[in-house]
């Protein structure tokens, strides 16, 4: 270029003036920290990683394909504004759902480009259903002198409504107490994932009890849900009192 007098333009040293960014950001990964979500842990943390620095003025919208979740309003950006972390609390609706997706939407990058739609995938399960005892049975309805002494001869079988954590044995108790007659045998254990068998050694405790109730507590299912409280019923009796002559008349 020349000025009005015909002088050539002085050489110009170009400087950085502007940028072009028309690349839409994408979600790289979605990670949750609880699977399954269960009664004792209803908090779900979601960590979303984007492929570039994002605009911190716009929070991503996270939604779940099932369950009733409420944000704990603790979302925030880290790692150069590429990672969004937020926690949510599940409403305990006593439900069991095997596929829960997590969707991420509405985020924008630092340049203002809208996030490319994310294809939500299965991330975790929900199980807030408490296991229940469906049946209690005994191997003998009445323990007498003829049953004593015995090694693991009296058996209490407890059936549960679903697969249980077999690393935890139920605590079996009796009302009234029967400690003088029954002693838990070491061979007690789980027959399968939903059936527990408590075996007892028997002794002559010289007692007479009718309508003995059996209770079982302390178990949890494979998801970690604690057992629903069980209402004990009358299951068996004990009579190891020997008869005596109370009178002789002539």
């Amino acid at each position: 270029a020349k000025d009005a007098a015909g002088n050539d333009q002085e050489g110009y040293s170009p400087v950085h003036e502007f940028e072009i960014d028309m690349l839409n950001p994408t979600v790289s990964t979605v990670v949750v920290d609880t699977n399954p979500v269960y009664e004792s842990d209803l908090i779900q943390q979601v960590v979303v990683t984007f492929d570039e620095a994002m605009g911190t003025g716009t929070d991503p919208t996270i939604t779940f394909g099932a369950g009733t979740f409420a944000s704990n309003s603790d979302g925030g950006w880290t790692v150069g504004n590429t990672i969004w972390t937020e926690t949510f609390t599940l409403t305990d609706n006593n439900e069991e759902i095997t596929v829960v997706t997590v969707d991420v939407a509405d985020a924008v990058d630092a340049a203002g480009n809208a996030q490319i739609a994310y294809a939500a995938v299965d991330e975790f399960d929900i199980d807030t259903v408490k296991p229940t005892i469906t049946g209690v049975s005994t191997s003998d309805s009445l323990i007498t002198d003829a049953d004593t002494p015995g090694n693991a001869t009296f058996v209490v079988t407890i059936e549960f409504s679903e697969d249980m954590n077999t690393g935890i044995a139920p605590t079996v108790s009796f009302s009234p107490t029967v400690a003088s007659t029954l002693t838990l045998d070491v061979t007690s254990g789980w027959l399968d994932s939903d059936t527990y068998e408590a075996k007892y050694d028997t002794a002559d405790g010289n007692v007479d009890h009718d309508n003995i109730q059996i209770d079982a507590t302390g178990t949890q299912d494979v998801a970690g849900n604690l057992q629903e409280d069980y209402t004990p019923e009358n299951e068996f009796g004990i009579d190891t009192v020997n008869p005596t002559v109370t009178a002789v008349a002539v």
Side-chain angles (χ1 to χ4, degrees):
K2 294 184 179 183
D3 63 14
N7 298 307
D8 290 331
Q9 167 196 328
E10 191 75 39
Y12 174 68
S13 298
V15 295
H16 179 203
E17 300 291 351
F18 66 98
E19 297 176 355
I20 297 175
D21 183 351
M22 294 186 294
L23 187 65
N24 299 89
T26 62
V27 174
S28 301
T29 60
V30 174
V31 177
V32 298
D33 75 339
T34 304
N35 186 22
V37 177
Y38 64 104
E39 271 208 330
S40 298
D41 187 0
L42 299 174
I43 305 297
Q44 182 64 285
Q45 176 180 274
V46 179
V47 179
V48 184
T49 302
F50 293 87
D51 67 343
E52 60 175 297
M54 303 298 286
T56 58
T58 303
D59 297 344
T61 300
I62 296 175
T63 55
F64 300 87
T68 304
F69 286 88
S71 173
N72 295 320
S73 301
D74 57 358
W77 294 100
T78 57
V79 192
N81 300 329
T82 60
I83 294 180
W84 174 264
T85 303
E86 187 174 357
T87 65
F88 301 81
T89 300
L90 173 70
T91 299
D92 185 352
N93 290 324
N94 195 38
E95 59 193 347
E96 188 169 358
I97 303 171
T98 56
V99 175
V100 182
T101 59
V102 179
D103 197 9
V104 183
D106 301 330
V108 298
D109 66 14
N113 297 307
Q115 162 204 332
I116 291 177
Y118 173 66
V121 298
D122 175 23
E123 298 289 351
F124 65 97
D125 301 337
I126 294 173
D127 184 353
T128 55
V129 178
K130 289 184 177 181
T132 61
I133 293 176
T134 58
V136 174
S137 61
T138 61
S139 60
D140 195 344
S141 61
L142 180 63
I143 297 175
T144 65
D145 277 354
D147 301 310
T148 65
N151 293 322
T153 53
F154 183 74
V155 180
V156 177
T157 303
I158 305 170
E159 300 283 350
F160 292 88
S161 60
E162 59 178 296
D163 290 344
M164 304 295 288
N165 180 348
T166 56
I168 301 175
T171 299
V172 181
S173 58
F174 302 90
S175 179
T177 59
V178 293
S180 64
T181 302
L182 299 179
T183 302
L184 186 65
D185 192 87
V186 294
T187 59
S188 301
W190 291 92
L191 293 181
D192 53 40
S193 61
D194 60 9
T195 307
Y196 184 81
E197 195 173 70
K199 298 180 180 181
Y200 293 86
D201 302 333
T202 58
D204 186 349
N206 195 37
V207 295
D208 188 358
H209 294 307
D210 298 323
N211 301 323
I212 299 172
Q213 296 183 336
I214 301 176
D215 197 7
T217 59
T219 59
Q220 56 185 243
D221 64 18
V222 292
N225 297 305
L226 299 178
Q227 165 202 327
E228 189 79 47
D229 187 43
Y230 174 66
T231 301
E233 299 179 358
N234 298 330
E235 300 291 351
F236 71 106
I238 299 175
D239 185 353
T240 54
V241 176
N242 298 96
T244 60
V245 175
T246 58
V248 176
V250 294

